[in-house]
Amino acid sequence: MTIPYPSTAPATVVPPSGAPRPRLTFLGTGYLGATYAICFAELGYEVLGFDVDTAKIAKLAGGEVPFHEPGLDELLRKSLAAGRLRFSTSYQEVADFGDVHFICVGTPQRADSMAADLSYVESAVVGLSPHLTRKSLLVGKSTVPVGTTEWIEQLVRRHAPEESRVEVAWSPEFLQEGFAVEDVLRPNRVIFGVKSDWASAMLYSAHKGVFDLAVTEDREVPVVVTDFATAELVKVAANAFLATKISFINAMAEVCEASGADVTMLARAIGYDARIGNKFLRAGVGFGGGCLPKDIRAFQARAQELGVGEALRFLHEVDLINQRRRQRVVQLAAELLDRPYGPAGPDLSGCKVTVLGATFKPNSDDVRDSPALSVARKLSRSGATVTVYDPEGMDNAKLEVGDVGYAKSTAEAVTGSDLVCVLTEWEEFRNADPHALGAIAAARKIIDGRNCLDSAVWIAAGWQYRGMGRPIAE
């Protein structure tokens, strides 16, 4: 059922710890767990963040967020100073402290298949369960294959003391990197996958700070209370839909390139249809990051296990379209640099190419499965001398791609360049001065891999401009 809180809510439940509000723990302090821990402390909860990575815990305890997310550093220091937030590497401390334990560990793609690697989930549950000597609620937030919550219940039954009466629930997250603080404090929906009234009441209590904030701002937060399987499917289904929408417009970009149409105008026109909407309709080099690519692959793998693989066969094509867009940048580079494109790709030896962008999206330092870095690798392997610049992702990029050069600014990266590729739509790149950059580049040639530049302005400044799915300007 869906309940627009606070219209209806379950009866108040007393936390097993006896505290006025449930004490919350977050197992895993990567992007997901650290963001939730910090934001829930900001809402007034007593919060404990846990991780086996001692260096990460030391950073957080010292007031330093180990990744880039706008606004999070300030909230971390504020909650640490107020005493509402602390961090630990002790499962015993987590068990003694918490009423509601949120599992926020990573679920990467397995090295030997498309399936999700649940070893971090298993480690967290098995590590914590023996220490749970009183009633508590273990809640999954990580993106997992359907059926995982039932499996976690079995792990808890095997490893937790029988008298503890630990219950399990699932409440998926919907964070967008660059907007994560807002997504936690002001969610557009909250999902509770539960089996008991007590678990539902505990989850409501654990989210009361979110609901109270909504009341003060005259908003409602839809709460969907459902079963385990549906709660697990919500996140992967949403990601599959978004990935499909992105690949759809990129497929249209391929058609536009072949026919001379303009995909930006096409997207605008179909986006006016309320049934379609204009979000996630920007053609470019495709999606990346730590979620969409591995989630759609894990979804396909799980569907195969359930005997319904045919139902998600289209996601394989979604993935292929996404990968093709990266190679398309290399094809455009060969065209602009007047190099033939043979069966093994182009030979770009002697060409200096600038890649502006390393992160998979702006306002983040996340380079996981980044289209920008994938293209940088492809260009380098084609023989080009590649220089990369990104406002926030340089350190992480250097760990991922070591055979390219790195610059300290846009100007440094562009100086002497034969070709510029804009592959992450940072504001710094969108607002760059084409005249100033043209004066320091060896050649005024640019690929707008995100269709984020004002093409007329760049063309007027003397640049040979190529967008994704856009006609060649005469």
Side-chain angles (χ1 to χ4, degrees):
M1 59 180 172
T2 302
I3 305 171
Y5 194 93
S7 302
T8 309
T12 303
V13 62
V14 177
S17 66
R21 306 175 81 179
R23 290 176 176 164
L24 312 180
T25 76
F26 293 85
L27 283 79
T29 55
Y31 186 86
L32 169 60
T35 301
Y36 264 93
I38 294 166
C39 289
F40 270 75
E42 168 67 13
L43 291 170
Y45 289 92
E46 289 185 81
V47 175
L48 178 64
F50 167 87
D51 207 291
V52 295
D53 187 332
T54 56
K56 189 184 297 182
I57 289 296
K59 272 191 174 183
L60 288 163
E64 182 183 351
V65 178
F67 51 86
H68 176 72
E69 180 61 36
L72 203 57
D73 289 273
E74 181 182 350
L75 294 183
L76 170 62
R77 290 188 286 269
K78 179 181 174 183
S79 290
L80 286 172
R84 293 190 299 270
L85 176 63
R86 56 195 176 89
F87 297 91
S88 175
T89 58
S90 167
Y91 280 116
Q92 185 64 61
E93 188 175 0
V94 170
D96 292 342
F97 173 85
D99 296 300
V100 181
H101 306 286
F102 291 98
I103 303 170
C104 301
V105 296
T107 54
Q109 184 176 335
R110 285 174 48 177
D112 58 350
S113 74
M114 294 197 306
D117 180 355
L118 297 180
S119 60
Y120 298 106
V121 174
E122 182 175 14
S123 179
V125 174
V126 172
L128 177 63
S129 293
H131 303 282
L132 297 174
T133 57
R134 59 175 164 80
K135 191 172 179 63
S136 59
L137 184 64
L138 195 58
V139 185
K141 293 207 77 69
S142 306
T143 304
V144 296
V146 62
T148 298
T149 317
E150 298 278 359
W151 170 65
I152 289 175
E153 276 193 321
Q154 296 171 16
L155 289 176
V156 170
R157 280 196 293 269
R158 282 205 303 267
H159 296 280
E162 188 173 343
E163 67 275 11
S164 63
R165 296 177 296 127
V166 177
E167 293 196 28
V168 178
W170 208 263
S171 181
E173 55 86 16
F174 304 99
L175 301 189
Q176 304 172 83
E177 294 193 32
F179 305 92
V181 171
E182 188 74 5
D183 288 338
V184 175
L185 299 179
R186 298 173 178 85
N188 53 26
R189 81 282 206 193
V190 177
I191 314 297
F192 296 160
V194 295
K195 280 188 176 178
S196 73
D197 291 339
W198 180 83
S200 180
M202 283 296 291
L203 277 172
Y204 269 101
S205 187
H207 287 78
K208 190 173 185 301
V210 171
F211 302 141
D212 288 346
L213 177 62
V215 170
T216 64
E217 297 175 346
D218 196 26
R219 290 182 292 107
E220 286 189 333
V221 179
V223 179
V224 179
V225 182
T226 186
D227 56 86
F228 287 174
T230 304
E232 293 163 339
L233 282 170
V234 170
K235 178 62 184 291
V236 291
N239 280 355
F241 183 85
L242 295 177
T244 301
K245 193 171 183 181
I246 296 168
S247 280
F248 170 81
I249 200 61
N250 280 327
M252 293 303 100
E254 294 184 19
V255 175
C256 287
E257 287 167 352
S259 63
D262 188 332
V263 75
T264 62
M265 294 296 103
L266 176 64
R268 182 182 301 175
I270 65 175
Y272 285 124
D273 188 327
R275 296 168 301 175
I276 297 173
N278 58 12
K279 292 185 176 180
F280 287 83
L281 279 184
R282 171 172 281 173
V285 290
F287 55 82
C291 293
L292 291 191
K294 62 99 174 173
D295 287 350
I296 64 171
R297 293 165 194 157
F299 200 8
Q300 293 173 76
R302 184 57 178 150
Q304 289 282 1
E305 293 170 353
L306 294 171
V308 290
E310 293 293 318
L312 297 185
R313 178 181 285 184
F314 71 95
L315 288 180
H316 179 62
E317 185 58 36
V318 166
D319 202 359
L320 291 178
I321 293 169
N322 192 56
Q323 295 300 318
R324 281 203 301 273
R325 300 314 288 165
R326 303 177 184 191
Q327 191 62 34
R328 179 58 180 154
V329 178
V330 180
Q331 294 172 337
L332 289 175
E335 291 176 22
L336 284 171
L337 294 168
D338 298 318
R339 298 296 179 91
Y341 195 97
D347 180 1
L348 302 181
S349 300
C351 298
K352 181 178 179 182
V353 180
T354 297
V355 169
L356 295 181
T359 55
F360 84 97
K361 66 182 294 187
N363 301 315
S364 170
D365 63 354
D366 193 344
V367 301
R368 290 176 294 175
D369 205 355
S370 164
L373 288 186
S374 175
V375 171
R377 285 192 198 95
K378 293 177 185 293
L379 291 168
S380 179
R381 289 169 185 166
S382 296
T385 300
V386 179
T387 302
V388 177
Y389 169 68
D390 188 279
E392 292 291 342
M394 298 291 279
D395 291 341
N396 290 335
K398 290 174 183 177
L399 296 175
E400 289 290 319
V401 182
D403 56 352
V404 301
Y406 291 91
K408 296 180 181 178
S409 67
T410 300
E412 182 184 332
V414 172
T415 299
S417 180
D418 298 306
L419 172 68
V420 176
C421 302
V422 178
L423 301 181
T424 309
E425 62 272 36
W426 284 94
E427 184 178 357
E428 178 179 336
F429 305 149
R430 289 189 286 108
N431 296 331
D433 183 346
H435 293 282
L437 294 183
I440 59 177
R444 299 191 181 197
K445 299 179 179 182
I446 190 164
I447 296 173
D448 183 3
R450 292 292 185 178
N451 288 339
C452 62
L453 305 178
D454 187 330
S455 59
V457 171
W458 285 80
I459 292 168
W463 287 78
Q464 190 176 353
Y465 171 94
R466 295 296 297 271
M468 305 295 283
R470 309 186 73 176
I472 301 173
E474 299 296 337

